[in-house]
Amino acid sequence: MKFERTGKVLMIFFSILIGFFSNAQVDSSATHWVDSVFNSLTPQERVTQLMLLRVSEKTATGVNFYDDKIIDAINTYNIGGVVLFQGGPVKQANMVNRFQAAAKTPLMVCIDAEWGLGMRYDSVLPLNHQLMLGAVQDASLVYDYGKLVANQCRRAGIHVNYAPVVDINNNPLNPVINDRSFGEDKYKVALLGKAYMNGLQDNGVMACAKHFPGHGDVSVDSHKDLPVINKSTGALDSLELYPFKELFKAGVASVMVAHLYIPAIDSSANRATSISKKNVTGLLRDDLHYQGLTFTDALNMQGVAKFFPGGEISAEALIAGNDMLCLPADIPGSIKKINKAITDCLLTEEDINSRCKKVLYAKYKYIGTQAVVIDTSHLAADLNDSLKEMKLRVAKQAITLLSLSGKLPQLSLDHKKQKTTAYVGIGISADNTIAKNLKSNYNADVFYYDYNDSANADSLANAISQRYKNIIVGIHGYARYPSNNFGISQKAIALANAFKKYPQTFTLVFGNPYAIKYFCDAPNLMACYEDDSFTQKIALEFLKGNISATGTLPVTVCNKYK
């Protein structure tokens, strides 16, 4: 019986290796290095190789850096890696160099950079959110986007990017995923998710499909509490799981497991999917046959931490079948609880050893035998290279014409002789890129109406419409997430809608497309997705007739526009 059990463990382990590397062959040099490093680790270090710690954190008073604590954890526990958050490029690079120099075992450096390093780093331009990518028809653009992010990561000494998000955002009120998703069409989410994944992995950075088994249909933020999804397993399989299954088949190297309460998967009280054996081992491993690396979502999030405090959650996550523990709050407490789980036969040493070797193989593949020292000269410039061009490419392919009841505004240089165009900037109180351009090149008058204004909408709209041949209304500066009408005041909504009876009005919505629900009756309407100078430039190029609008809505915004 002992021989049969050992043989079964070995068979499972080697099947994991084969699955993890997909088409890549596990060569003898990798096996030699992994075995050598593994044999050098103590039993405790084989546990701590599964832990990833936070390097910095944004607070009300600025960014706190935990580099001294990380060095202590490296020296004391030989942790597996770190997760980068806020900070400047050079500061982050110097910390990573310091960490790697101190580490007995090369550290896996991870980051949550869904829209590039600018999502976390200051001095780096953020790329477009995934929902804007969801409007693009050409998946090769998303591949190029992933390749660009991979180039950033490699330049910054990062091995794993927690992207793409392949949650299907089928709840417009989702407070945590929303514009981080490619949209609500499972086929397009899968298509673009694979393109982003391949862009990363073809260029030397591990991708991570998240948040398994699907975080799109929630109304609670798992950072604050445990979201509940009351769906049958059949409903989950036909929708939420579809993009994950497609990325698994395509060879995504890792997956992040969400903090969700889904009774159809596990009805145990407060048992989040991230710490559910029925979800991680049962559904993910056994049913879907995924053998790549698994990361928990952050273990300090209240969706799980409020129910399983201290080190208990780390033990529960490993019992469930996870490989790597993201941001465990208590290392010694975690070690203690994991050892107790082994004593209580809830975990085995073989479980820990196989996962440790799996992590080491991932390090060999994405790091090598020794981490590269990051060169900090011209680092910010290198990280910003080609970002502006990419943002313009995305905007050009994403902007979406929803309605055109007449002609485009008749913008021409002849308008410098007389004022025929008005720009009504709702949500701004000073000129932005599109307002400045219309002013300087087309002699337009610009009117501001921020979300604190209270001027009468009908009288203002009537006065403007009587005076100008072309009226362009831009909706700006509203929040990314849907609470409180995205921060758009009722007076501002009333003003925008007061223009709908004037056919010479063209409305541009610069931001999360879900906010278009307030403006669906506009006679001429365009979704622009984000409110930056690049998108504004492209929108103006469309109004001038220089480009066409080829984007399609990635989500339903109202009954009229699905």
Side-chain angles (χ1 to χ4, degrees):
M1 290 296 291
K2 184 177 180 181
F3 174 80
E4 290 177 358
R5 184 170 182 272
T6 302
K8 184 178 181 182
V9 169
L10 288 172
M11 287 177 64
I12 292 172
F13 175 61
F14 283 114
S15 70
I16 286 171
L17 292 183
I18 293 169
F20 176 70
F21 283 101
S22 300
N23 297 324
Q25 184 178 356
V26 182
D27 60 34
S28 58
S29 59
T31 302
H32 175 77
W33 183 83
V34 168
D35 287 344
S36 175
V37 173
F38 177 82
N39 291 332
S40 74
L41 300 174
T42 67
Q44 177 176 291
E45 288 175 329
R46 293 169 187 173
V47 171
T48 53
Q49 275 293 298
L50 310 181
M51 297 182 182
L52 299 161
L53 301 190
R54 173 189 285 271
V55 172
S56 63
E57 186 171 20
K58 189 175 182 180
T59 69
T61 57
V63 177
N64 288 343
F65 293 96
Y66 305 126
D67 38 329
D68 289 338
K69 291 182 179 179
I70 297 291
I71 287 291
D72 182 63
I74 290 170
N75 292 331
T76 305
Y77 299 107
N78 192 18
I79 58 170
V82 295
V83 184
L84 303 179
F85 286 89
Q86 289 77 16
V90 174
K91 169 75 172 178
Q92 300 271 36
N94 286 332
M95 287 193 299
V96 170
N97 283 339
R98 182 185 174 201
F99 299 155
Q100 295 286 21
K104 170 184 172 183
T105 309
L107 294 163
M108 179 182 288
V109 180
C110 310
I111 194 168
D112 213 351
E114 296 161 16
W115 50 93
L117 265 58
M119 178 177 170
R120 299 299 182 189
Y121 285 14
D122 62 38
S123 309
V124 179
L125 185 69
L127 288 168
N128 314 82
H129 298 138
Q130 282 191 197
L131 195 55
M132 189 171 187
L133 295 178
V136 168
Q137 298 303 294
D138 182 5
S140 69
L141 174 60
V142 181
Y143 177 92
D144 292 344
Y145 180 107
K147 179 180 179 180
L148 182 56
V149 176
N151 292 340
Q152 286 185 310
C153 289
R154 288 202 328 277
R155 180 67 179 86
I158 296 165
H159 314 114
V160 182
N161 184 15
Y162 294 143
V165 173
V166 290
D167 303 312
I168 299 168
N169 200 80
N170 50 347
N171 184 344
L173 299 180
N174 192 315
V176 63
I177 302 301
N178 212 287
D179 69 356
R180 297 165 62 196
S181 165
F182 288 117
E184 68 183 42
D185 180 340
K186 68 179 184 180
Y187 300 107
K188 196 163 190 184
V189 169
L191 174 69
L192 300 185
K194 286 189 287 186
Y196 192 171
M197 173 203 81
N198 286 326
L200 290 172
Q201 292 186 176
D202 288 353
N203 294 282
V205 173
M206 181 188 290
C208 181
K210 64 183 188 184
H211 306 76
F212 184 86
H215 210 307
D217 196 5
V218 303
S219 55
V220 171
D221 185 347
S222 53
H223 292 85
K224 301 175 181 178
D225 208 339
L226 184 59
V228 178
I229 297 179
N230 284 307
K231 288 187 173 183
S232 68
T233 54
L236 293 168
D237 185 65
S238 66
L239 187 65
E240 276 81 1
L241 292 178
Y242 178 82
F244 289 98
K245 291 188 287 187
E246 290 298 299
L247 264 71
F248 294 167
K249 287 189 289 186
V252 68
S254 70
V255 63
M256 179 173 283
V257 187
H259 305 315
L260 302 168
Y261 183 66
I262 307 179
I265 295 175
D266 193 334
S267 59
S268 306
N270 303 319
R271 178 65 60 175
T273 46
S274 55
I275 55 172
S276 166
K277 192 167 188 176
K278 292 180 180 178
N279 180 61
V280 181
T281 299
L283 176 60
L284 181 62
R285 300 296 193 199
D286 296 343
D287 295 347
L288 300 182
H289 310 294
Y290 181 70
Q291 301 302 337
L293 207 62
T294 60
F295 296 89
T296 66
D297 209 341
L299 296 179
N300 59 358
M301 292 165 62
Q302 289 304 299
V304 284
K306 66 186 290 186
F307 303 111
F308 298 89
E312 185 177 359
I313 190 172
S314 295
E316 293 291 336
L318 292 182
I319 292 168
N322 288 292
D323 298 313
M324 300 211 78
L325 307 172
C326 285
L327 316 188
D330 179 4
I331 297 178
S334 295
I335 294 169
K336 182 178 179 181
K337 290 292 186 179
I338 291 167
N339 286 335
K340 185 177 185 303
I342 293 172
T343 301
D344 294 343
C345 297
L346 299 173
L347 275 172
T348 66
E349 289 185 9
E350 288 93 339
D351 291 330
I352 300 298
N353 292 347
S354 64
R355 291 173 204 177
C356 179
K357 285 193 172 185
K358 192 174 175 184
V359 168
L360 293 175
Y361 270 103
K363 289 186 176 186
Y364 183 86
K365 180 175 175 64
Y366 289 96
I367 305 173
T369 60
Q370 186 174 355
V372 174
V373 177
I374 306 164
D375 179 2
T376 59
S377 60
H378 313 294
L379 180 58
D382 291 345
L383 295 178
N384 279 292
D385 185 45
S386 302
L387 299 187
K388 292 179 180 179
E389 292 83 356
M390 177 56 68
K391 286 180 75 74
L392 287 170
R393 284 181 65 192
V394 171
K396 187 175 180 180
Q397 291 199 33
I399 58 169
T400 305
L401 182 63
L402 300 179
S403 175
L404 183 63
S405 62
K407 296 180 179 179
L408 292 175
Q410 300 302 297
L411 298 177
S412 72
L413 297 179
D414 291 341
H415 289 175
K416 285 189 173 183
K417 300 176 182 178
Q418 56 181 329
K419 290 182 178 292
T420 60
T421 299
Y423 189 74
V424 182
I426 296 178
I428 60 175
S429 56
D431 287 356
N432 55 15
T433 296
I434 191 170
K436 288 178 181 176
N437 196 304
L438 287 168
K439 254 187 179 180
S440 62
N441 293 328
Y442 302 99
N443 203 25
D445 282 335
V446 177
F447 299 87
Y448 312 120
Y449 194 95
D450 71 27
Y451 297 132
N452 295 316
D453 281 339
S454 58
N456 182 273
D458 287 326
S459 60
L460 183 57
N462 183 62
I464 293 173
S465 66
Q466 295 300 316
R467 184 175 173 185
Y468 298 96
K469 181 180 179 181
N470 303 307
I471 303 169
I472 303 168
V473 176
I475 313 297
H476 297 280
Y478 61 86
R480 285 178 54 204
Y481 291 106
S483 61
N484 300 315
N485 298 336
F486 294 90
I488 305 173
S489 68
Q490 290 297 330
K491 289 280 189 180
I493 293 171
L495 176 60
N497 286 323
F499 282 102
K500 67 185 180 184
K501 58 186 174 183
Y502 303 109
Q504 75 268 40
T505 302
F506 199 101
T507 302
L508 306 165
V509 184
F510 291 100
N512 189 319
Y514 281 118
I516 292 171
K517 67 182 180 180
Y518 304 118
F519 316 109
C520 281
D521 291 333
N524 306 291
L525 181 62
M526 172 168 277
C528 298
Y529 300 100
E530 291 183 13
D531 192 16
D532 56 34
S533 62
F534 307 96
T535 309
Q536 291 174 31
K537 286 177 182 177
I538 293 298
L540 186 55
E541 286 300 303
F542 172 80
L543 293 178
K544 289 156 60 177
N546 292 338
I547 61 172
S548 58
T550 59
T552 58
L553 275 177
V555 292
T556 296
V557 298
C558 58
N559 288 333
K560 190 175 180 181
Y561 301 120
K562 295 184 179 293

